[in-house]
């Protein structure tokens, strides 16, 4: 397998699945502009649009291609017109947010991400409640979250804030970087390798583009300085996937100061609260006036931060999966990722027949 194919993430599994679609060519979506997609192929790039069948059958926006998707296209170049995307291969991860505005529809940020760097600056952007929100969505996406604290040069109490973040994300990696340190991006490199895809998620101006430029070894992303209020300026306006010279790929995303929840793993991201709930005297405790409530006791004794608990309740209320059984959640995810159990079983059967 050549280096370009490895960096695009064309693993043996992806290549095997691609063989199920005869007459079509494998590519990966690297950017999108409205209904037009830029797709990286084995030996170049082309512009493509979705087929009429896909457009007609899509039950939600999540069933359209997104940056990071592996897709099957009807041609290898667009010299004779735009390519047509006929299939989206199975996603191993999907980062979904609830779009801003009145519609509040789900919006896919990126697909097939191995590691998601949740970036938060250590200046006026620092916000633990927002980090909890990002963290819960990242855990549900299927990608491994890593917290990246940027602009450490602007922080006077670095160790204190780092400890606060570590307590919030319960054992997941927390990295500290600064754009003013020449090799500040080196700490990210252990998460990057051929065939791996990482994505940068965070508010506008936290330094995502600067870090990506350092990793790319060139000024591919426009960057801007701080505003008068010490917060960063918005730079990135669309999602885009870049191939890294030392292997792997990186997805940059527009800044998101607010991240609406459509899919989130609340119980794992607030594991400390979930564990406390198991200690309550009554299994259906509502943590209000019931006797023997472990959560209420922890709040009164200061072992559980009240702001964290209130944010937990807020995110649970927003979560699309709240109130569903584990089986219902599984069925809904299968529907969103594969189109339903019938389609998933059909694919498994095709895989088995191909490998006999």
């Amino acid at each position: 397998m050549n280096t370009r194919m490895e960096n695009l993430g064309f693993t043996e599994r992806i290549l095997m699945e691609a063989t199920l679609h005869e007459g079509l060519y494998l590519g990966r979506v690297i950017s999108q502009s409205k209904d037009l997609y830029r797709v990286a192929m084995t030996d170049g790039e082309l512009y493509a649009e979705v087929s009429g069948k896909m457009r007609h059958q899509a039950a939600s926006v999540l069933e359209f291609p997104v940056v990071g998707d592996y897709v099957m296209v009807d041609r290898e170049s667009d010299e004779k017109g735009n390519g047509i995307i006929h299939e989206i291969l199975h996603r191993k991860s999907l980062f979904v947010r609830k779009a801003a505005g009145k519609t509040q529809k789900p919006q896919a940020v990126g697909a097939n991400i191995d590691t998601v760097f949740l970036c938060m600056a250590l200046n006026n952007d620092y916000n633990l409640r927002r980090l909890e929100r990002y963290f819960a969505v990242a855990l549900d996406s299927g990608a491994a979250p890593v917290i990246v604290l940027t602009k450490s040069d602007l922080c006077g109490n670095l160790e204190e804030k780092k400890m606060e973040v570590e307590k919030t994300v319960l054992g997941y990696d927390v990295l500290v970087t600064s754009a003013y340190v020449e090799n500040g991006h080196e700490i990210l490199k252990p998460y990057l390798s051929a065939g791996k895809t990482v994505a940068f998620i965070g508010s506008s101006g936290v330094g995502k583009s600067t870090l990506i430029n350092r990793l790319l070894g060139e000024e591919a992303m426009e960057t801007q300085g701080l505003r008068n209020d010490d917060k960063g300026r918005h730079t990135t306006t669309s999602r885009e996937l870049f191939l890294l010279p030392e292997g792997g790929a990186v997805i940059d995303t527009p800044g998101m100061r607010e991240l609406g929840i459509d899919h989130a793993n609340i119980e794992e991201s607030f594991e400390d609260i979930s564990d406390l709930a198991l200690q309550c005297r009554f299994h259906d405790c509502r943590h209000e006036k019931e006797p023997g409530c472990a959560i209420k006791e922890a709040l009164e004794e200061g072992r559980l931060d009240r702001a964290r608990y209130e944010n937990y309740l807020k995110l649970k209320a927003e979560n699309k999966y709240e109130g569903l059984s584990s089986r219902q959640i599984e069925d809904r995810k299968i529907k969103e990722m594969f189109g339903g159990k019938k389609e998933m079983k059909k694919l498994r059967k095709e895989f088995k027949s191909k490998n006999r």
Side-chain angles (χ1 to χ4, degrees), residues 111-259:
N112 299 304
I113 301 166
D114 295 286
T115 300
V116 56
F117 290 133
L118 303 178
C119 301
M120 182 171 69
L122 288 162
N123 56 356
N124 283 355
D125 178 73
Y126 185 79
N127 186 320
L128 286 178
R129 304 290 79 85
R130 187 170 66 243
L131 177 61
E132 288 169 345
R133 178 178 290 264
Y134 279 61
F135 184 56
V137 175
L139 284 174
D140 186 74
S141 73
V146 172
I147 315 306
V148 179
L149 301 178
T150 65
K151 303 187 179 181
S152 59
D153 53 287
L154 301 178
C155 180
N157 55 340
L158 176 58
E159 287 305 315
E160 179 184 335
K161 286 187 174 179
K162 186 170 184 286
M163 287 180 62
E164 285 181 339
V165 171
E166 288 173 339
K167 287 173 62 178
T168 298
V169 298
L170 306 171
Y172 282 81
D173 291 349
V174 178
L175 311 179
V176 177
T177 69
S178 171
Y180 289 95
V181 177
E182 184 178 356
N183 295 316
H185 65 291
E186 293 287 336
I187 197 170
L188 305 179
K189 286 191 173 180
Y191 302 89
L192 304 168
S193 61
K196 298 294 183 183
T197 300
V198 302
F200 284 76
I201 306 289
S203 301
S204 301
V206 298
K208 303 188 302 294
S209 296
T210 299
L211 288 171
I212 291 174
N213 284 339
R214 295 283 178 85
L215 291 170
L216 289 170
E218 60 177 324
E219 296 298 309
M221 308 298 298
E222 181 184 354
T223 60
Q224 296 187 35
L226 296 174
R227 305 184 324 210
N228 292 333
D229 60 1
D230 191 35
K231 293 182 179 179
R233 298 177 186 273
H234 176 74
T235 302
T236 303
T237 57
S238 62
R239 303 170 194 85
E240 189 164 3
L241 183 147
F242 299 90
L243 299 184
L244 298 171
E246 296 182 17
V250 58
I251 296 175
D252 188 26
T253 65
M256 295 179 285
R257 189 161 298 281
E258 296 299 327
L259 180 70

Side-chain angles (χ1 to χ4, degrees), residues 7-19:
N7 286 357
L8 283 171
F10 290 176
T11 62
E12 291 300 323
R13 183 188 69 82
I14 293 296
L15 293 172
M16 185 180 297
E17 186 178 350
T19 63

Side-chain angles (χ1 to χ4, degrees), residues 1 22-23 43 45 97 108 122 164 205-206 224 233 260 269 272 310 312 325 349 356:
M1 187 183 298
E22 294 182 8
D43 296 312
E45 298 178 3
R97 64 175 291 196
L122 288 162
E164 285 181 339
V206 298
Q224 296 187 35
R233 298 177 186 273
S269 59
D272 54 336
E310 289 175 353
Y312 162 78
S325 67
K349 185 176 180 180
R356 282 176 181 170

